[in-house]
Amino acid sequence: MLIGDVARRSGVSARMLRHYESLGLVRPTGRTGSGYRRYADEDIRRIFHIESLRSLGLSLRDVGRALDDPGFAPAELVEDLILRTRERIAAETELLTRLRRIDAAEPAGWEEVLRVVALLQALESKSPGARQRAALSAGEDAAVPVEALVEAVLGESDPIVAGALRWALAQSGGDGTALLAEGLDSPAAEVRERAVRCLAELPDGTATALLRDALGHPDAVVRRCAALALGARGVADAVPTLIDMIVGATNDADAADALGALANGSASVGSPAPVNGPALADRIAAGLVDRLAQEDIGPDARRRLTQALADVPGGTASRALEALARDEDRAVALTATYILKLRDTR
């Protein structure tokens, strides 16, 4: 079979066949009287073998070793190919992500493209200062896509830079809540905490709904962060978790402040319609009293619960304090008596 016929049958160009011959990969069986290369069936099978190995990413040098060395062991080479392929896929994926983010920024010209690229690179810098400046710049100009900001904030370990990134995300006006929701399900505890802290600074209703769901999260840190944020927004669902925080002495002062804000109807600006008023104040007071009555509550926890009644208005809280002023625990009784005196002066 002549070279033209081989090229048509194998799909390998005549030029590439001649290149294979120059490398010693394929040697035609002979030549015709006119000097044309003649290939036997065995030559054609070898060409197909070469193409099969090349399809795995082997270099022509490795292909020659594989075909000609009887002792050639493919395992090590295949393992190396897997590693190189993974590295190539990772690099291509990173490039695709960067291009998508540039496209999402909708640049008007090449100068703007370069500016977005510079910001994206700065967000990945090893310097915390550079990352912080990039976050502040992104928040002011909204040039960085939300996806990039969310990825940066979920991976940021420096608390100052993380604060700047949360601010930038809140200023961006984009919808990063879906990506932050994925962060809440991360196997890494630090990522879950960063996600809920970021949601706490987004004032929209979607973020509030996610924070409500987070009250049932298996991670206690996530539950507590969500409760504090919801308390500031006037969401009564946070009350049980806030009381648990007081009992457990975990951010108990912040939890007590949040309960007081809920009871007094002083939710933050931008919160959803809060369920505040006398009914909620009485509900909070009743919840604190119920925990005080539980036998497994220690003396320190009982004092903290009594102190939390200080900022809760209404008759239920007042009656509870009057009863606690006669409590067997002298510290609890003195705390309740002092709070009652303060209430009388208001």
Side-chain angles (χ1 to χ4, degrees):
M1 188 178 296
L2 300 182
I3 190 169
D5 298 324
V6 173
R8 284 190 294 272
R9 181 173 175 180
S10 66
V12 181
S13 68
R15 180 178 179 181
M16 183 59 73
L17 289 172
R18 284 190 287 269
H19 180 56
Y20 287 170
E21 182 181 349
S22 70
L23 296 175
L25 289 173
V26 179
R27 295 181 179 83
T29 302
R31 291 182 178 267
T32 65
S34 304
Y36 293 107
R37 295 171 176 81
R38 186 189 298 279
Y39 294 85
D41 290 342
E42 184 62 30
D43 299 326
I44 296 172
R45 278 194 295 273
R46 185 175 174 89
I47 291 170
F48 280 120
H49 291 163
I50 292 170
E51 293 303 300
S52 295
L53 293 174
R54 283 190 65 201
S55 72
L56 299 178
L58 270 70
S59 66
L60 290 177
R61 179 181 177 183
D62 290 333
V63 168
R65 288 174 53 209
L67 293 177
D68 297 332
D69 183 357
F72 178 78
E76 184 177 342
L77 182 59
V78 171
E79 185 177 342
D80 183 60
L81 286 171
I82 291 172
L83 177 62
R84 280 188 281 168
T85 302
R86 284 176 175 166
E87 291 174 348
R88 186 173 66 252
I89 290 172
E92 293 293 329
T93 301
E94 182 179 350
L95 175 59
L96 177 61
T97 299
R98 189 177 294 272
L99 289 171
R100 285 177 51 217
R101 289 174 178 174
I102 293 172
D103 183 57
E106 300 180 348
W110 282 111
E111 287 188 6
E112 198 167 335
V113 169
L114 295 174
R115 185 172 177 281
V116 174
V117 170
L119 280 172
L120 291 174
Q121 290 175 335
L123 286 175
E124 299 170 359
S125 170
K126 293 182 179 179
S127 166
R131 298 197 302 274
Q132 183 183 11
R133 288 190 295 273
L136 295 175
S137 178
E140 291 170 355
D141 302 328
V144 176
V146 170
E147 181 183 350
L149 289 174
V150 171
E151 180 179 312
V153 77
L154 292 182
E156 183 56 63
S157 59
D158 187 293
I160 296 176
V161 180
L165 286 165
R166 290 196 298 270
W167 172 82
L169 187 58
Q171 295 295 312
S172 70
D175 184 14
T177 51
L179 295 171
L180 291 171
E182 293 179 9
L184 290 176
D185 294 327
S186 169
E190 62 273 17
V191 174
R192 296 194 297 269
E193 182 176 356
R194 291 166 192 159
V196 71
R197 289 190 182 281
C198 202
L199 284 169
E201 296 189 21
L202 298 180
D204 59 89
T206 304
T208 300
L210 287 171
L211 289 168
R212 268 196 173 104
D213 292 340
L215 290 173
H217 200 282
D219 187 334
V221 173
V222 171
R223 293 197 303 271
R224 293 164 188 159
C225 289
L228 290 173
L230 290 170
R233 299 181 189 207
V235 179
D237 295 351
V239 170
T241 304
L242 293 171
I243 293 176
D244 286 341
M245 292 170 66
I246 294 171
V247 173
T250 307
N251 296 106
D252 51 293
D254 293 334
D257 288 342
L259 285 176
L262 277 166
N264 287 279
S266 53
S268 62
V269 177
S271 62
V275 188
N276 289 339
L280 180 55
D282 287 343
R283 173 183 163 187
I284 291 171
L288 292 167
V289 171
D290 287 344
R291 294 304 293 274
L292 275 160
Q294 293 179 2
E295 294 182 358
D296 61 341
I297 300 298
D300 291 339
R302 295 186 79 246
R303 285 193 289 273
R304 290 192 296 272
L305 290 166
T306 302
Q307 290 167 356
L309 285 165
D311 293 325
V312 181
T316 301
S318 294
R319 288 189 294 274
L321 287 166
E322 289 169 1
L324 290 167
R326 302 184 296 274
D327 196 87
E328 294 179 356
D329 186 324
R330 181 170 173 76
V332 170
L334 289 174
T335 300
T337 300
Y338 177 71
I339 294 172
L340 284 170
K341 288 179 180 178
L342 290 178
R343 291 166 81 94
D344 290 339
T345 61
R346 292 176 183 173

